[in-house]
Amino acid sequence: MDYNKTINLPKTDFPMRAGLPAREPGMLEGWEKLDLYHELLKKNEGKPLFSLHDGPPFSNGNLHMGHALNKSIKDFMVRAAAMRGRYTPYIPGWDNHGMPIESAIIKEQKLNRKQMSVPEFRTACHDYAQKYVNIQREGFKRLGVVGDWENPYLTMDPGFEAEEVKVFGEMYKKGYIYKGLKPVYWCPKDETALAEAEIEYQDDPCTTVYVKFQVRDDLGKLSQYGDLSKMYFVIWTTTIWTLPGNLAIAVHPRESYVLVKADNGEMYIMAEALCAKVMKVGGFENYEIVKQFKGADFEYMLAQHPFLDKTSQLCTAEYVTMDSGTGCVHTAPGFGADDYETCKRYKIEMVVPVDDRGRHTDYAGKYAGMKTEESNPVILADMKESGALFASEDIVHSYPHCWRCKNPIIFRATPQWFCSVDAFKEQAVAACDDVRWIPGWGIDRMKSMIRERADWCISRQRRWGLPIPVFYCQDCGKPICNDDTISAVSKLFGEKGSNAWYEMEAADILPAGFSCPHCGSKAGFTKEEDTLDGWFDSGSTHYASMKKDQGFWPATVYMEGLDQYRGWFQSSLLTAVGALGQGAPFKECVTHGWTVDGEGKAMHKSLGNGVDPADIFKKYGADLIRLWAGSADYHVDVRCSDNIFKQLSQNYLKFRNTARYCLGNLDGFDPNCLVQPGEMLELDRWAVTKLNQLIEKCFAAYDEYEFHVVSHAINDFCVVELSSFYLDIIKDRLYCEGKDSLERRSAQTALFLILDTMTKLFAPILAFTCDEIWLAMPHRAEDDGRNVLLNEMNKPFADYALTQEQMAQWDKIIAVRDAVNVALEAARNGKKIGKSLEADVALTVPSEDAFLAEMDSALLADLFIVSQVEITVGGELAVSVSEAAGQKCERCWKHHPLVGADMAHPTLCPRCAGVIAKSTSFEAL
């Protein structure tokens, strides 16, 4: 008889090699045919809601690894919630308006914006944005993200715009939105105002200057100490180009200031705390402090501007510090928020001597027409020549840049629309207390950002954006925005889109017979030309999409990158509190870090260290990107490189091969007929108890959105509990016991529970592979075999669990087994034995482990994967190895003294002979 044919060898069509790049597209087609997203909603209809509101990516480029990380994590959240009994609508969205698209189409399509009508240019922007919506959508679908891809929300859609106008209207009606002239971040290259969230800081070299302002009117307080023509206030600045805009000098009212006489005969006024440092920079070693003053003593004095025919007024300000500069602060209200407020308080006239393109106006005298950066060296040289320069230093400082064009920005006062955050700041801060922040420090970051922020500049001098829905009366000139105008504009945008703002006259938009609510005139109206900040667009999605189209508010969770504390999280919170007065639009707020290269450096095309998701799809498959996202602590920066993907592929193969082992040994197994807990062998119950611990750990991790804990826990379970212990031990039972024997079915029951559970636990992360396993494995009658996602995760199998005392005994068994393995390895190296089944192990165990001696020696032999075991109780743990007695069984390869006892099967051990005798299926072999 050919005994090899009597072995229950594993049988499965599940391939060892994944071939994910080739396999996944076909699986995606299957999901689409199944209409997986809607089937999932149908399956969980009526269950508790889990709503992840999608933070909209900008539709202006191909997929990058930041997108891949972001959308993977979101999909983990949605899938995990769905598989734990939640109803999970997920509507993806895109942010479409903004300067980057204008810049891109002008550059790529060589468009001349000024020769096109506004609607023509906006249509070109719309088409460009739609192109990248489609490109990114295909990328996200390739990643395996489940959602309503056919019905996303777009901030450029007419229906969305109609609702966003209402958000603006509500905030205007409450007095939170106003128009004012005050300094804002301004990008000269793009000729538009910028929000704080559109600023990034870079280190730039610059020349700092200490400049002398001669005392012109001392109010009778200083002339007694010296010649006013040689007496100067010394200011310090890092932005030379702002000096033409100087209108005042600010000092701290209560700080001590000194009048210093240098050995060149000149006298200087500066803060006492900074005097030594400033005089050293000026090159003065010998000087005399003539008199001390309080800053308030200088209030309302006048100083002569160093190169323009005008004076600067001395003012007091609490923000003046003693940690840098001179204590005399250069104040140009057209270029700084503090400067603006100080000059406003003193009723000093506003001057803005720089135009939209960053060039000096005629107000700057000889520097008119120069770009700000061009004027710096010229002004510096002129001050050196005239003697107005006290000192200069070359330094590197952190300076704001436009996050889109990457060029330095300027501060510039222009008429802009603002949202008065101060008006509802405390309500916004209080709303943070009702949110669960992950990580926990998020609440402090958000609160501090809200408290510290200035009013939000919401207007942009661009064409591709939502028009600010404000009209102006031609008679009184006042802005008009009320319920009637908002209703008319909202209806118009909903029907025709916001291009209609530029295609129609104000009279055609406003209700018939409309009159100015300020002066009653009906003489005519004009329209606002600025557009809304893109952050107002995305910040309104909770109302214009989530509440209107998706039917829920607030969302369960918002999840985006760390930069969104000052971006989408904050703009959403401000519009929700400002317009709706209902607190935060999210119950939980989760953040992830940046994607960086393998060395932790930012990825840039110029450095050649970028990783393209399309390349990963082709080489490794989408599941490896998902495993990458699901294996990292995403709250910090996530590293990404080909070497990292190679390492992850090894973890992936461990899980895949573990699943393949289970599948192969479940061939022909009916999971509707599981071995009951009372009949299951204790080793198999140990495995199920370990599985229960895995379930509990993964459930806790999913609760906290700690997906890397899930990935590592499953990997460790496969490596430690299964591959290194359990699967090796049960191989003999699976292969050599009777096909339908209790011993084999007990192991198969444990394997089924393990495979079924692991596949469901890992399905949110390894979406493709787990569904591939699901389609290959047997199922119970209540399972939905169409897709693993349509099934709930298993809860712990309490009836199969061992007690804590029993598990403690198994810990000791495993420790003894480790010692036995060391002894076996030594015996192999000493040529005592070849394979472990050739061994007889003699054990000495301490009395507290006497339970080992009470165990069946054959069971212990199976646990140690040897042929024979003898145990002596007493003394310390000791292991000796000798050659096993008896012959080698031809079928199971164990050594047994009674091999050949059955004359019908002279080369088999009693166990194998009995298996053959009980089976009729082997008679023809």
Side-chain angles (χ1 to χ4, degrees), residues 141-276:
K141 289 167 69 175
R142 176 65 185 87
L143 192 58
V145 180
V146 173
D148 193 354
W149 293 110
E150 302 311 309
N151 300 289
Y153 76 82
L154 307 178
T155 61
M156 65 183 180
D157 277 354
F160 186 98
E161 294 178 328
E163 297 302 309
E164 184 181 347
V165 163
K166 295 177 184 177
V167 175
F168 180 93
E170 283 299 310
M171 296 182 75
Y172 192 100
K173 185 164 62 174
K174 294 179 179 180
Y176 297 155
I177 289 176
Y178 67 94
K179 192 169 190 178
L181 176 67
K182 58 197 301 187
V184 295
Y185 295 113
W186 184 271
C187 179
K189 183 179 185 301
D190 295 309
E191 299 179 37
T192 187
L194 299 173
E196 190 174 350
E198 296 169 318
I199 299 301
E200 58 187 23
Y201 284 82
Q202 299 177 19
D203 288 340
D204 279 354
C206 81
T207 299
T208 68
V209 291
Y210 296 78
V211 183
K212 300 185 298 186
F213 282 63
Q214 182 195 336
V215 177
R216 181 74 173 271
D217 182 354
D218 70 336
L219 302 179
K221 297 180 181 180
L222 301 176
S223 58
Q224 59 186 302
Y225 303 108
D227 183 355
L228 295 184
S229 68
K230 294 183 179 181
M231 191 179 295
Y232 304 91
F233 289 95
V234 181
I235 66 94
W236 172 79
T237 183
T238 59
T239 50
I240 298 173
W241 62 267
T242 62
L243 286 169
N246 178 279
L247 294 178
I249 298 171
V251 293
H252 194 286
R254 294 178 302 283
E255 289 287 347
S256 177
Y257 286 77
V258 289
L259 177 63
V260 182
K261 186 173 184 179
D263 55 13
N264 64 356
E266 294 184 344
M267 303 181 80
Y268 308 115
I269 300 168
M270 61 191 69
E272 184 176 14
L274 295 163
C275 177

Side-chain angles (χ1 to χ4, degrees), residues 33-83:
K33 288 179 182 176
L34 175 60
D35 194 8
L36 180 59
Y37 171 71
H38 289 103
E39 286 298 303
L40 180 62
L41 293 185
K42 195 184 303 180
K43 194 93 174 179
N44 289 334
E45 191 170 4
K47 294 180 179 178
L49 174 69
F50 176 89
S51 51
L52 187 153
H53 181 47
D54 192 28
F58 200 67
S59 55
N60 71 328
N62 294 317
L63 221 61
H64 54 67
M65 291 307 293
H67 287 134
L69 176 68
N70 178 276
K71 278 296 191 286
S72 293
I73 295 169
K74 289 175 179 175
D75 198 45
F76 301 162
M77 290 178 167
V78 171
R79 285 173 177 262
M83 295 186 72

